[in-house]
């Protein structure tokens, strides 16, 4: 059995990753979150990891509120970048492999077609810069580290766009949603399977992993209402300029997953199929319909 440590185990992705890994007899899994380890503290982080002696450390711990990150650069870098450095130092000390989750926000969205793993990053916001620095630490400090870039996550165990749309349905008749940012909504349950496959195959390097097909947030919002059978509420397309959020987002950040397919044989299902399954699971009471 492979001994795996998941850091950020109580987050949205973390809970589905814990479920996926624990359902396999191949792994002996330990899950830590902020109560057990604060990745900002170097000595403590290195000591705790090296004492546990895992063979793989999956670092999901992060500050993920992209707009809040914009006004809290120091705090954001201390978790997303320096935290990754501390985790890597602990992993290297006990010979463990590192897996780090990164983001499409390392790119500026000007390419106009899907980004591949070795496209040159150029982040537009603090969150993206902090995650890119985290990637660089993995590359500098480890020999066989894995970096998995993903985007637009939704899942049962955290705040996300689907939850936010469903929450607003009870309050508003019309939801204004941006129609000038394109990406791939990605289900945490599907991404958890990818992470397990990459660990099993002892992959290394950068991978892009998202559900297939792209859409705008507006189209995503429309589909959430449609698949949930919600009527009497409409969505209205607006521009990013109109929404005027603190952090600038890339206008187009489709990610090519060809490398993932070559190495694992996996292609994630279309985001719309994953969304249908997710919305149905909420209806069946396996999660909150309105959170
Ligand atoms: N969400 C997305 O759309 C998205 C897209 C691309 C990439 N990612 C990446 O995917 C990973 C998982 O994201 P997620 O959406 O599941 O995030 P999440 O729900 O916010 O989970 C992150 C977890 O890390 C914990 N954490 C925060 N600061 C910590 C610290 N100093 N030490 C230890 N743990 C700490 C958080 O605890 P608290 O809740 O108490 O803060 C939380 O449980 C992150 O690395 C993120 O950057 C996410």
């Amino acid at each position: 059995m492979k001994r795996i440590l998941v850091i950020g185990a109580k987050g949205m992705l973390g809970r589905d990753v814990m479920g996926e890994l624990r359902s396999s007899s191949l792994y002996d899994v330990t899950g830590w979150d902020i109560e057990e380890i604060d990745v900002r503290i170097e000595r403590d982080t290195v000591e705790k990891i090296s004492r546990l002696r895992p063979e793989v450390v999956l670092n999901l711990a992060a500050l993920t509120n992209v707009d809040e990150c914009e006004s809290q650069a120091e705090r954001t870098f201390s978790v997303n970048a320096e935290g990754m450095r501390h985790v890597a130092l602990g992993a290297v000390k006990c010979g463990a492999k590192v897996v780090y989750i990164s983001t499409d926000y390392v790119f500026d969205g000007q390419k106009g077609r899907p980004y591949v793993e070795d496209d040159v990053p150029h982040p537009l916001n603090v969150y993206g810069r902090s995650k890119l620095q985290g990637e660089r630490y993995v590359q500098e400090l480890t020999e066989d580290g894995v970096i998995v870039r993903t985007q637009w996550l939704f899942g049962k165990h955290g705040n996300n766009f689907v939850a936010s749309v469903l929450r607003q349905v009870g309050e508003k008749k019309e939801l204004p949603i941006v129609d000038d940012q394109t990406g791939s909504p990605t289900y945490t349950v599907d991404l958890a399977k990818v992470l397990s496959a990459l660990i099993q195959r002892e992959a290394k390097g950068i991978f892009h992993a998202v559900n297939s097909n792209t859409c705008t947030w507006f189209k995503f919002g429309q589909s959430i209402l449609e698949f949930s059978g919600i009527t009497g509420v409409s969505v209205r397309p607006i521009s990013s300029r109109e929404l005027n959020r603190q952090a600038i987002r890339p206008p187009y950040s489709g990610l090519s997953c060809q490398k993932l397919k070559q190495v694992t044989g996996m292609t994630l299902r279309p985001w719309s199929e994953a969304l249908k399954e997710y919305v149905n699971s909420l209806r069946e009471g396996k999660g909150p319909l309105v959170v």
Side-chain angles (χ1 to χ4, degrees), residues 7-8 10-14 33-34 37-40 59-64 79 101-103 127 131 150-153:
I7 302 179
K10 289 188 182 157
M12 178 169 66
L13 177 59
D33 208 279
I34 185 85
I37 188 169
D38 184 340
V39 298
R40 290 171 298 184
N59 182 22
L60 315 175
L63 297 184
T64 55
V79 180
I101 310 302
S102 190
T103 167
Y127 172 75
K131 296 296 289 186
T150 189
Q151 65 183 167
W152 296 21
L153 292 182

Side-chain angles (χ1 to χ4, degrees), residues 131-246:
K131 296 296 289 186
L132 180 59
Q133 184 58 45
E135 288 189 8
R136 294 201 166 131
Y137 284 139
V138 173
Q139 289 167 324
E140 282 165 25
L141 297 171
T142 76
E143 279 176 9
D144 62 350
V146 182
I147 294 162
V148 181
R149 295 191 188 125
T150 189
Q151 65 183 167
W152 296 21
L153 292 182
F154 63 93
K156 291 185 197 73
H157 305 291
N159 206 7
N160 60 72
F161 183 74
V162 184
S164 158
V165 166
L166 294 176
R167 191 168 47 233
Q168 291 179 64
V169 158
E171 301 157 7
K172 298 176 185 169
K173 284 272 163 267
E174 187 188 72
L175 310 179
I177 304 183
V178 292
D179 198 25
D180 56 6
Q181 291 167 29
T182 296
S184 301
T186 299
Y187 191 19
T188 47
V189 167
D190 293 352
L191 183 60
K193 290 184 177 30
V194 166
L195 297 176
S196 174
L198 288 169
I199 291 169
Q200 262 183 55
R201 282 172 179 75
E202 307 204 336
K204 60 179 187 176
I206 305 178
F207 290 87
H208 290 172
V210 293
N211 278 114
S212 301
N213 302 341
T214 57
C215 63
T216 65
W217 289 109
F218 171 74
K219 171 67 188 163
F220 188 24
Q222 242 179 355
S223 304
I224 294 164
L225 296 185
E226 185 192 329
F227 300 161
S228 307
I230 291 166
T231 52
V233 179
S234 61
V235 283
R236 177 169 60 86
I238 60 166
S239 66
S240 304
R241 186 187 287 255
E242 233 177 299
L243 189 63
N244 194 25
R245 297 181 89 173
Q246 268 182 287

